[in-house]
Amino acid sequence: MRERTTSDMSLIASKFESIAPSQTLAITAAAKQMQDEGQDITSFGAGEPDFDTPQHVKDACIEALLEGKTKYTAATGIPELKEAIKEKLYLENGLEYETNQISVNCGAKHSCYNAILACCDPEDEVIIPAPYWTSYPEMVRLAGAEPYFVETKRENGWKLTPEELEGAMSGRTRMLILNSPNNPTGAVYSEKELKALVEVCYEEEIIILSDEIYEKLIYNGKKHFSTAAISDAAREITITINGFSKVYSMTGWRLGYTAAPEEIAGAIAKIQSHTTSNPTSFAQYGAVAALKGDQSIISDMVEEYDMRRQYMMSRFSKINNIEIVEPEGAFYFLVDTSKMGLSSMNLTEKLLSRYKVAAVPGIAFGYDNSVRFSYATSLDVIKNGLDRFEEFCHAH
Ligand code: PMP
Ligand code: GLU
């Protein structure tokens, strides 16, 4: 036996010292438990659509099950689904990918993690504009790389500027994570803004992970632009990420996808073949139906989200000691609570224990002076919750 030391043995890898569990999922679980105990909790927790999965999607999955489509599939997904994704990316996003550049994964969360794992070595830095979706830094750390945060400004609509990006670069920078429409700020980058960021990344040979999961949840007549469609240069360095959870209300199905330069797609295929084998077989048939079926269900959902968004906007704008930037996409409000002088954990704990309102502390998104409200919940819940939040604000 080779020499080994067993004193001070730790059962887990040292990287877990700096990894926190997901706050978005934790707060939602806490609210659910209190509801189950009979407490009257209003939850603005996880960003999970309150609509049911469309019937034709469920039917396609059931049919697949009945037909015995219950075995392993190709690691990166069934050909029908990859073809449907290829067509969607071409027709809706102006992106030409071959199916070998596409990989279907177990949720867009998994897609992001695969992409980071495929591209980053230990010691590499990944630039994450803050406020950010809570899982990005932890995925980077799990991959052994290091997150580097850039604080975006409220007055810039929480959007990263090329100057801020340039200032954040170091010899170790490997990747930039972009998320438009954004969770948690609702910011939507314009074509011009994306172009300016792409130019810096191309010049500096930085890969862009472009998480476009909220692409269709967009308001005020805004238009979504895919980063990879900005230019040929953009396509060379961008990994496009999308999924089915938000737009088709399929969170539990766990299906997302990556479209990437061939080399990166190959690495993602290897990771997937050794870790998950394939996304669930019959779920993938549901996803084909989602992409190929009636898309008007999406505009119906967007209309409903927009109505809630406008209602919340009017309520928040009447409260004195908070500030907001109007969200133009996704289904979140990031409420700036700087004037209250409470840490976001303290604020959300009080809000939950005394006012029975669950919302996610801004610290989970790298901006402690804030709290996130999701409006993927009914207008009744929103009205009731905001009455309570208003009371809380008046008392602080
Ligand atoms: N990206 C962002 C920005 C998100 O908010 C989410 C929400 N879960 C995801 C990716 C992952 O979605 P899913 O894994 O459910 O496809
Ligand atoms: N993305 C959603 C959110 O931010 C769902 C929970 C999660 O996966 O983090 O609330």
Side-chain angles (χ1 to χ4, degrees):
M1 186 169 156
R2 283 177 291 131
E3 198 181 319
R4 74 189 227 116
T5 37
T6 50
S7 58
D8 297 328
M9 181 184 167
S10 165
L11 292 176
I12 55 164
S14 53
K15 62 185 162 200
F16 285 96
E17 281 163 22
S18 62
I19 289 169
S22 166
Q23 278 291 339
T24 48
L25 298 183
I27 196 93
T28 311
K32 173 88 177 46
Q33 193 183 337
M34 290 168 85
Q35 277 164 345
D36 291 347
E37 286 163 1
Q39 297 195 50
D40 171 25
I41 303 293
T42 303
S43 181
F44 294 96
E48 173 159 44
D50 53 319
F51 301 101
D52 198 0
T53 302
Q55 190 58 43
H56 67 277
V57 175
K58 290 184 187 173
D59 289 342
C61 173
I62 292 167
E63 202 180 309
L65 266 174
L66 295 176
E67 284 173 1
K69 307 255 174 62
T70 55
K71 302 291 164 63
Y72 292 134
T73 71
T76 57
I78 56 172
E80 298 91 312
L81 181 52
K82 290 174 69 173
E83 276 298 332
I85 291 168
K86 177 182 157 177
E87 195 174 297
K88 177 250 180 274
L89 290 173
Y90 179 66
L91 294 176
E92 295 184 354
N93 305 85
L95 289 168
E96 269 184 76
Y97 284 108
E98 295 304 323
T99 47
N100 67 352
Q101 296 179 277
I102 294 168
S103 172
V104 184
N105 324 109
C106 307
K109 195 177 259 185
H110 186 219
S111 310
C112 292
Y113 185 52
N114 279 350
I116 294 166
L117 212 52
C119 300
C120 296
D121 279 316
E123 309 290 310
D124 280 345
E125 278 180 2
V126 176
I127 295 182
I128 306 179
Y132 48 74
W133 176 42
T134 193
S135 291
Y136 296 140
E138 310 307 53
M139 288 177 184
V140 169
R141 292 185 180 114
L142 281 171
E146 278 178 40
Y148 185 89
F149 304 110
V150 185
E151 286 178 20
T152 61
K153 298 192 177 64
R154 188 153 47 85
E155 56 271 29
N156 292 338
W158 301 116
K159 287 187 260 191
L160 179 70
T161 65
E163 295 74 28
E164 287 167 340
L165 176 60
E166 266 164 7
M169 297 267 179
S170 80
R172 288 164 56 200
T173 308
R174 175 70 170 153
M175 178 183 268
L176 164 69
I177 298 186
L178 279 181
N179 171 218
S180 175
N182 186 274
N183 174 7
T185 66
V188 176
Y189 284 73
S190 69
E191 188 177 20
K192 196 168 155 221
E193 288 161 342
L194 286 176
K195 193 162 184 283
L197 296 175
V198 162
E199 275 165 14
V200 178
C201 289
Y202 191 74
E203 182 71 30
E204 300 290 335
E205 300 186 342
I206 307 296
I207 295 164
I208 301 177
L209 183 160
S210 182
D211 180 349
E212 303 180 13
I213 186 130
Y214 295 101
E215 69 166 336
K216 292 191 180 165
L217 308 187
I218 200 156
Y219 320 101
N220 285 350
K222 278 263 164 173
K223 188 169 162 11
H224 168 75
F225 290 93
S226 280
T227 310
I230 292 290
S231 60
D232 288 345
R235 233 180 70 100
E236 274 178 42
I237 56 166
T238 301
I239 306 168
T240 304
I241 290 185
N242 211 323
F244 298 86
S245 288
K246 314 292 173 178
V247 168
Y248 296 102
S249 208
M250 291 170 66
T251 45
W253 294 60
R254 309 310 305 130
L255 290 171
Y257 55 90
T258 50
E262 231 168 279
E263 221 181 326
I264 299 177
I268 290 174
K270 285 185 197 168
I271 298 171
Q272 192 139 298
S273 73
H274 288 298
T275 53
T276 54
S277 291
N278 61 267
T280 303
S281 57
F282 39 87
Q284 293 185 61
Y285 290 90
V288 174
L291 287 178
K292 291 201 166 280
D294 178 13
Q295 303 296 305
S296 67
I297 43 155
I298 301 172
S299 37
D300 293 347
M301 287 192 234
V302 173
E303 209 174 294
E304 175 69 29
Y305 287 136
D306 193 21
M307 200 247 294
R308 299 170 186 176
R309 183 186 72 97
Q310 291 185 37
Y311 173 79
M312 288 175 81
M313 189 71 206
S314 73
R315 291 289 304 263
F316 283 137
S317 52
K318 288 188 193 109
I319 302 175
N320 284 333
N321 48 352
I322 59 166
E323 277 167 291
I324 42 167
V325 174
E326 180 176 355
E328 296 193 301
F331 39 48
Y332 308 100
F333 271 87
L334 190 71
V335 175
D336 195 319
T337 55
S338 309
K339 288 184 186 162
M340 289 192 207
L342 293 171
S343 76
S344 62
M345 284 307 274
N346 192 349
L347 190 153
T348 49
E349 273 162 22
K350 274 190 183 169
L351 198 55
L352 184 57
S353 60
R354 299 196 201 155
Y355 294 80
K356 310 290 178 206
V357 172
V360 187
I363 188 116
F365 309 108
Y367 185 60
D368 199 20
N369 288 324
S370 68
V371 51
R372 191 193 78 176
F373 288 77
S374 155
Y375 49 93
T377 188
S378 77
L379 197 59
D380 282 346
V381 170
I382 291 172
K383 282 181 177 162
N384 181 300
L386 291 193
D387 287 345
R388 298 179 195 190
F389 180 62
E390 202 169 54
E391 246 181 79
F392 170 86
C393 290
H394 287 155
H396 288 84

